[in-house]
Amino acid sequence: MPPAPANLVVFDHPLIQHKLSYIRDRSLSHRPFRALLYQIAGLMVFEATRSFPTVEIDVDTPLERTRCRRLKDNGSSITVVPVLRSGLVMSEGILEMMPEARVGHLGLARDEHSLKPVTYLKRLPRDLAAGPVLLVDPMLATGGSASSALSILKAEGARDVRMLCLVASPEGIARLAKDHPDVWIYAAAVDRELNSVGYILPGLGDAGDRMYGTT
Ligand code: URA
């Protein structure tokens, strides 16, 4: 296994690990799968946003004026970008915590011949540079599509990009550390390896199929 890059946060938190253990269970159906994924994303975003910019403001409590901090632009310059389709549920859990954030969408599919990711949908706010960007994809497997997504976001102007995933592979982490060493990765777990067709082991199977009941 390659050495862990400095910019990786793995959530060794009892609540997250508890919920992840249910998500991994093959007998869990799509409805609780989505609910748990939504909750985990809400917990993870607490740490992933720790250094988000804030501004100081004065607030009048019923007793006196006091200095407080609020998210810069009230959170409206933050952008959450789910990779379709499996990033959608996590992005909803994140938005529960930051309802003012904008949402960009990226659809990436693997070209059958080149096996490289091809963008079939890109809808992003124009001024991505105005605030932090959270790229969301539950499975960081080969890192190919995540690397492409990060390149797209940077080409569109994003300067502070962080990646949130549920389960990462050592191979995917190594790929992002090489292609995007400036990007912080937040993962609930780093699993053992990829199998021959790019699934994470032990993993949880196909995240999109599991969450939408299309297995
Ligand atoms: N995508 C998934 O949904 N699962 C994996 O294990 C790898 C990629």
Side-chain angles (χ1 to χ4, degrees):
M1 189 160 125
N7 52 356
L8 169 70
V9 175
V10 183
F11 289 85
D12 184 24
H13 189 286
L15 272 183
I16 292 178
Q17 293 307 316
H18 173 80
K19 291 173 193 295
L20 178 60
S21 78
Y22 283 94
I23 282 191
R24 286 193 193 273
D25 187 335
R26 64 187 298 168
S27 69
L28 190 79
S29 69
H30 50 278
R31 187 176 169 196
F33 187 103
R34 282 200 300 270
L36 288 164
L37 188 56
Y38 179 98
Q39 291 169 12
I40 292 177
L43 293 168
M44 287 175 69
V45 79
F46 180 76
E47 183 60 32
T49 55
R50 182 178 287 282
S51 59
F52 272 20
T54 55
V55 290
E56 297 209 332
I57 53 147
D58 288 328
V59 169
D60 292 318
T61 78
L63 300 174
E64 62 179 36
R65 180 161 285 202
T66 187
R67 213 100 244 258
C68 296
R69 285 198 300 155
R70 284 194 182 152
L71 285 172
K72 178 176 164 273
D73 304 321
N74 229 6
S76 65
S77 51
I78 298 167
T79 310
V80 181
V81 181
V83 175
L84 302 181
R85 69 186 155 149
S86 58
L88 287 171
V89 170
M90 284 184 86
S91 69
E92 290 298 327
I94 293 167
L95 289 170
E96 173 84 26
M97 297 296 139
M98 302 187 308
E100 307 300 337
R102 308 175 294 188
V103 183
H105 291 94
L106 277 181
L108 301 169
R110 197 194 287 198
D111 180 83
E112 275 179 24
H113 303 292
S114 69
L115 301 182
K116 297 223 165 91
V118 179
T119 310
Y120 66 85
L121 181 100
K122 185 176 74 171
R123 291 279 183 281
L124 300 168
R126 245 178 252 125
D127 56 340
L128 276 182
V133 178
L134 284 176
L135 178 68
V136 188
D137 195 345
M139 307 304 277
L140 175 59
T142 62
S145 55
S147 180
S148 295
L150 290 167
S151 298
I152 292 168
L153 294 174
K154 289 177 179 177
E156 296 283 334
R159 290 200 300 253
D160 173 356
V161 196
R162 306 162 194 217
M163 161 115 210
L164 248 85
C165 54
L166 184 67
V167 180
S169 72
E171 294 89 337
I173 292 166
R175 171 79 187 263
L176 291 198
K178 179 171 147 287
D179 294 355
H180 299 282
D182 55 316
V183 171
W184 277 81
I185 305 167
Y186 298 86
V190 177
D191 277 7
R192 194 178 68 246
E193 61 185 345
L194 292 179
N195 71 9
S196 59
V197 286
Y199 277 85
I200 299 177
L201 298 175
L204 48 83
D206 186 299
D209 283 344
R210 295 278 319 274
M211 78 182 75
Y212 292 117
T214 48
T215 42

